[in-house]
Amino acid sequence: MSLYLVQNQSRTADPTPYESKLAKAIEQVFGDGGHSLEALVDGLNEIGIHSPDGSPWSQDSLTAEMARLEQSVNGGR
Amino acid sequence: MARVYSPGALSAEQIFATGMRDQWHAVCPSDWVERGAIRKLERLGEQWVLYRQSDGRVRMLADRCPHRGAPLSQGMHLGDRIACQYHGVQVGSDGTVLSVPGMPGCNLEGKKLVRSLPVQEVGGAILAWFGTDPDVEPAPLQIPDPLAADDVSAFLCYVEWDAPWRFGLENLLDPMHGAFLHHESHSMFGGAQSARFRIRETDRGFFFEKTDQRGVNFDWVEFNRTGVDWVDLEIPYPSTAGPGGPFGIVGMVTPIDADRSAVFFWRYRRVTGWERDVWRFLYRTTLEDRHWAVLEQDRVMLEHMAHDADQAENLYQHDLGVIRLRRMYKNQAEEQAKALTDA
């Protein structure tokens, strides 16, 4: 019987190009030291990654988008 | 007289090799057993069948029809019971024979002839009580605190390794390997490569921790016995992982058999609100792959160790946690073997 060894258990599909780009930009902002929501919004807007409707991020739009994107499977809570 | 299969009086060596009895063990992720599904699994060196009833409850039976010993896992799910594919014998959730269609009224009907393990679901995993005496109630299961806390978010990572369960658990009681084996990783590149450790007792186990460094690498682990054996540990994230501080791991290792193990890692972080959502988004898109690279370093090391690697060691101060763990399990295996022989 083969052993179970699956790398990605928290998602059912690969990230979309949009998700990958957004994740990379978020890590960049965090890596520069900005860990507050305000710093994250400003940082993403500076990089030029926009919200899905094309407008700059606001705290509300980013919070809402993160709530949408966090959904997961397999033991996530 | 009706016969119920049991593995019999196991020796202390067999118990040490295939896992402690009379405690809860994690068995598999919850979503491995969907509603209406039947799943065959080997755990603690024995064959089991799990199925989820139409009411959502998971059941776990020895995978052996009481009639001719055929695997029930080949059978048919009938909502609350399994019908053996071989001769149609129906076995209920507590192991009672409910119907023998080939011979209605047969004296097997109404008898409890299949071992049935109590199960609970915790943090997206199925846990079962592996009791030696079916008439003894399971001990209470205290859920690992991080999996019950409101301010904690967690993902279960489940893997199976071609290594004995004790290697997996001992690896977790050995924080020092973080600074070496995982030196090239996203989370354990920092800190000193030498340390002094101490054991600190708790009312449910013990801490094994560095005395001279905390919050820099894999610097402490807590071993807990709360009906189930589990460890808690903490490792820092780099700044790129954002707010929320270090991530933790609640770890359990369950023997599949003497040579292979089922590993449960709940990676968790104390985050709420937008910080929780961002961490979960990053976990799914980028962090899970980095955690995986670290876990693979462990797997490759442990799978390549000789199965008798622990027969000629020369241990030093950093191995006190491992020594403590082994002594505890060896003593417990002796006690359980004696109880089984006396029974």
Side-chain angles (χ1 to χ4, degrees):
Chain A
M1 201 183 81
S2 68
L3 297 174
Y4 183 85
L5 215 55
V6 173
Q7 177 162 344
N8 291 112
Q9 302 182 16
S10 68
R11 66 189 194 214
T12 47
D14 286 342
T16 63
Y18 160 68
E19 287 172 333
S20 294
K21 213 169 139 191
L22 182 58
K24 203 175 150 198
I26 290 172
E27 288 190 322
Q28 187 184 327
V29 176
F30 284 159
D32 291 340
H35 280 191
S36 68
L37 182 57
E38 194 182 4
L40 183 57
V41 168
D42 293 347
L44 291 178
N45 288 333
E46 267 171 42
I47 290 171
I49 301 276
H50 292 130
S51 66
D53 67 4
S55 60
W57 293 102
S58 66
Q59 294 194 13
D60 283 348
S61 67
L62 186 62
T63 307
E65 181 67 346
M66 285 299 123
R68 184 183 75 82
L69 288 172
E70 70 82 21
Q71 294 150 16
S72 67
V73 294
N74 192 2
R77 62 185 285 275
Chain B
M1 198 185 107
R3 299 153 70 95
V4 180
Y5 174 77
S6 89
L10 298 165
S11 70
E13 289 72 28
Q14 285 170 318
I15 292 171
F16 188 70
T18 59
M20 299 301 122
R21 270 58 179 183
D22 291 328
Q23 70 175 57
W24 294 86
H25 286 280
V27 171
C28 69
S30 286
D31 62 9
W32 277 30
V33 190
E34 303 282 5
R35 203 169 289 217
I38 294 180
R39 184 125 194 170
K40 179 186 179 72
L41 285 177
E42 183 174 4
R43 294 293 180 267
L44 277 67
E46 294 183 62
Q47 304 298 323
W48 307 97
V49 56
L50 286 90
Y51 67 103
R52 193 178 290 274
Q53 298 182 160
S54 44
D55 67 2
R57 296 186 64 179
V58 174
R59 303 294 191 176
M60 185 166 176
L61 301 171
D63 192 19
R64 193 180 283 250
C65 178
H67 169 218
R68 290 277 311 285
L72 291 170
S73 54
Q74 293 292 313
M76 198 186 301
H77 194 305
L78 298 180
D80 63 342
R81 65 190 70 184
I82 293 179
C84 181
Q85 194 74 356
Y86 207 11
H87 302 95
V89 171
Q90 296 179 14
V91 180
S93 59
D94 67 348
T96 301
V97 175
L98 298 174
S99 169
V100 181
M103 186 172 240
C106 163
N107 67 359
L108 296 184
E109 288 180 354
K111 289 201 175 80
K112 197 171 162 179
L113 300 178
V114 181
R115 286 169 66 209
S116 155
L117 301 190
V119 296
Q120 285 192 46
E121 294 188 74
V122 173
I126 297 166
L127 274 64
W129 170 262
F130 289 76
T132 46
D133 183 345
D135 295 327
V136 172
E137 285 291 304
L141 169 65
Q142 191 192 327
I143 296 171
D145 349 340
L147 302 184
D150 287 339
D151 64 342
V152 167
S153 182
F155 288 94
L156 171 61
C157 173
Y158 170 79
V159 289
E160 294 171 353
W161 287 348
D162 188 18
W165 68 277
R166 65 183 191 281
F167 287 11
L169 205 54
E170 288 171 3
N171 182 57
L172 292 167
L173 265 291
D174 169 20
M176 205 62 211
H177 84 270
F180 293 91
L181 180 63
H182 303 312
H183 190 261
E184 307 300 322
S185 74
H186 69 130
S187 54
M188 284 174 273
F189 49 83
Q193 287 195 315
S194 66
R196 295 292 295 179
F197 279 85
R198 73 172 165 217
I199 285 176
R200 183 157 54 88
E201 305 291 338
T202 68
D203 57 5
R204 61 184 193 184
F206 62 93
F207 279 89
F208 188 58
E209 58 195 359
K210 292 177 187 167
T211 56
D212 36 22
Q213 177 176 298
R214 200 173 177 97
V216 183
N217 199 294
F218 177 12
D219 295 328
W220 62 268
V221 59
E222 183 187 6
F223 175 75
N224 302 288
R225 311 203 89 183
T226 63
V228 61
D229 290 352
W230 55 283
V231 302
D232 189 13
L233 60 89
E234 208 175 76
I235 295 169
Y237 263 137
S239 170
T240 50
F247 69 94
I249 292 175
V250 167
M252 298 182 192
V253 185
T254 302
I256 294 174
D257 56 23
D259 302 321
R260 300 172 301 163
S261 45
V263 179
F264 297 77
F265 269 23
W266 285 267
R267 301 192 184 108
Y268 72 85
R269 203 175 193 193
R270 291 195 185 277
V271 275
T272 55
W274 74 270
E275 296 185 356
R276 170 188 178 277
D277 294 345
V278 172
W279 175 63
R280 295 181 68 82
F281 172 62
L282 289 181
Y283 185 92
R284 287 175 54 238
T285 47
T286 64
L287 292 170
E288 186 172 39
D289 293 324
R290 292 174 207 156
H291 284 295
W292 182 259
V294 177
L295 195 62
E296 280 288 277
Q297 291 170 337
D298 289 309
R299 180 185 67 80
V300 169
M301 181 59 66
L302 299 182
E303 288 192 347
H304 284 83
M305 284 173 71
H307 280 205
D308 63 351
D310 50 1
Q311 297 307 300
E313 301 163 314
N314 293 281
L315 304 176
Y316 52 91
Q317 204 260 345
H318 295 176
D319 306 308
L320 288 174
V322 169
I323 292 167
R324 166 79 173 258
L325 199 70
R326 279 184 196 162
R327 191 183 302 139
M328 184 194 80
Y329 283 130
K330 286 224 157 112
N331 289 343
Q332 192 179 353
E334 296 281 352
E335 284 166 19
Q336 292 190 346
K338 185 171 183 310
L340 283 169
T341 307
D342 295 347

